[in-house]
Amino acid sequence: MSDLQAISSAYQTLLGMIGEVEPRIAQATRQELTDQRGSLKLIASENYASLPVLATMGTWLSDKYAEGTVGHRFYAGCQNVDTVETVAAEHARELFGAEYAYVQPHSGIDANLTAYWAILANRVETPALSEFGVRGVADLSEQDWETLRHRFGDQRLLGMSLDAGGHLTHGFRPNVSGKMFHQRSYGTDPETQLLDYDALAAQAREFKPLIIVAGYSAYPRRVNFAKMREIADSVGAVLMVDMAHFAGLVAGKVFTGEEDPVPYAHVVTTTTHKSLRGPRGGMVLATEEFAPSVDRGCPLVLGGPLSHVMAAKAVALAEARTEAFRTYAQNVADNAKALAEGLLTRGVNLVTGGTDNHIVLMDVGSFGITGRQAEAALLESGIVTNRNSVPNDPNGAWYTSGVRLGTPALTSRGFTTSDMDAVADLIAGVLKHTVPTTTAKGEPSKAKYDLSADARQTSLDGAAALVGAHPLYPGFEI
Ligand SMILES: *Cc1c(COP(=O)(O)O)cnc(C)c1O
């Protein structure tokens, strides 16, 4: 990196300028860096973007309205945004080998919404929203949705169940995808906890979905997308793959051949801020067949594109094309394996018995605690994670029995496999010394717990030593 000292002092100046307008925001921004630097971040969906990616977001590209597509904007003066969007889409197409890339979605949810409407528009005669006398999908009533679903031909969506690792946007009621479609979900094998392709194929034959969604947020294994496409073809369904979590492993060529979704899916959606290490945002990759419908994402479900974020996507994708990024992606997977082995050796149960991607899902039930207690005990011990359901979770979706771990963020700081073994030691130490308190009824609490002060301090010291050895943005001081 060029002259870090100069970059540091530029940021100091910028934060000083911001502080003159609203000191609390300058302070919170500084504090966030301190906090991120000081803890072991094992949240599987988070990462650290590079300084060039972060800096690209803080510019006047934010000031431009550019609804429409490159060369076909609803506003004048979009020549520079056209350049930005063209470069980002070009990088995305080349990096992932996709026929078409749409880089406007503001987030993963927006990318999925764009994809769902595009698939409907492509395969089904869809009524115009204006017929309902509303301005946007958010204004539709329950009755309108019922009518809409019917007008779509009562289309069906088959996605992975939440407790097997699927995502809310794969057809679940709190998300609009659960209102647009009749949804059913596929789970994992009760014994192995692995995807059961034969069971999925049988389910697809019976349910006859318009769309099969593959992809996950908490499944610690690779998926065979060739098999997924075969299943989709066997029932005439569209295969949509949501690679939000593992896009970095695809970009870094850790997932190749049948584990690469792009050659097999009709439509691929993703976030750009998880393992891909880009800015917070989303993206849709599609075959030529679906490209014209995907292009209508704005204004169908998206507002004006975030030009500054599209610019940062272009920078992040340029980084992801490098040999260094391939090494990074391989290290993410190697580190997850080392973390899993370290935990197994220390008696921690893992869903599916291990990992071959960037996710490790602990089942903490054997320690007599809930996911919520484990998450809280780890947090006060310097380890940031999130609780997560395990398949058929006895503690439900709020307390849970699982804790999800991921290696993208620590790998960005340069953690190695031996560091991951040390992290596993800290985690196991905390879990072993966390006991539920007893409720008034004499039952173990699902939320309150006691953690021994010694175990907590050992973990805090260990975490401090590890993050100290691998500084975030080394040399960057604000
Ligand atoms: C994170 C995630 C999303 C949503 O991304 P946001 O940017 O938070 O909207 C969608 N799908 C999957 C599989 C995810 O893991």
Side-chain angles (χ1 to χ4, degrees), residues 278-460:
R280 187 160 293 280
M283 207 158 67
V284 181
L285 307 175
T287 53
E288 290 293 355
E289 180 196 355
F290 287 90
S293 322
V294 171
D295 252 347
R296 296 212 296 265
C298 165
L300 182 63
V301 290
L302 302 173
L306 312 178
S307 305
H308 56 310
V309 180
M310 290 197 294
K313 287 173 190 171
V315 174
L317 290 164
E319 290 177 342
R321 290 153 53 100
T322 60
E323 201 49 45
F325 190 87
R326 287 193 185 200
T327 307
Y328 163 72
Q330 187 57 51
N331 290 345
V332 166
D334 292 347
N335 279 344
K337 241 189 182 55
L339 178 63
E341 278 161 18
L343 290 166
L344 288 168
T345 316
R346 293 169 177 87
V348 181
N349 289 337
L350 303 181
V351 172
T352 78
T355 178
D356 48 30
N357 56 22
H358 62 296
I359 294 171
V360 175
L361 187 56
M362 303 193 290
D363 184 338
V364 298
S366 64
F367 292 94
I369 55 177
T370 62
R372 187 177 149 149
Q373 287 163 326
E375 173 195 84
L378 289 167
L379 183 64
E380 62 168 300
S381 307
I383 302 170
V384 190
T385 65
N386 66 283
R387 67 182 183 278
N388 207 100
S389 301
V390 302
N392 305 310
D393 201 308
N395 286 322
W398 178 250
Y399 292 109
T400 81
S401 304
V403 173
R404 187 183 66 164
L405 310 171
T407 50
L410 292 186
T411 307
S412 290
R413 297 180 73 142
F415 275 57
T416 63
T417 51
S418 65
D419 296 322
M420 295 320 294
D421 187 64
V423 171
D425 194 52
L426 300 181
I427 292 173
V430 172
L431 296 180
K432 280 175 191 164
H433 292 92
T434 303
V435 285
T437 56
T438 306
T439 64
K441 285 192 202 150
E443 289 162 4
S445 168
K446 287 180 182 237
K448 298 204 171 122
Y449 62 91
D450 287 319
L451 167 65
S452 86
D454 274 359
R456 178 171 170 274
Q457 196 56 48
T458 304
S459 176
L460 282 171

Side-chain angles (χ1 to χ4, degrees), residues 45 106-112 165-170 214-218 242-246 269-274 280-282 404:
S45 51
H106 310 168
S107 71
I109 278 197
D110 291 359
N112 285 349
H167 192 263
L168 268 180
T169 55
H170 300 176
Y216 51 79
S217 301
D242 179 353
M243 64 170 183
H245 249 265
F246 55 89
T269 58
T270 186
T271 59
T272 46
H273 50 275
K274 296 181 183 175
R280 187 160 293 280
R404 187 183 66 164

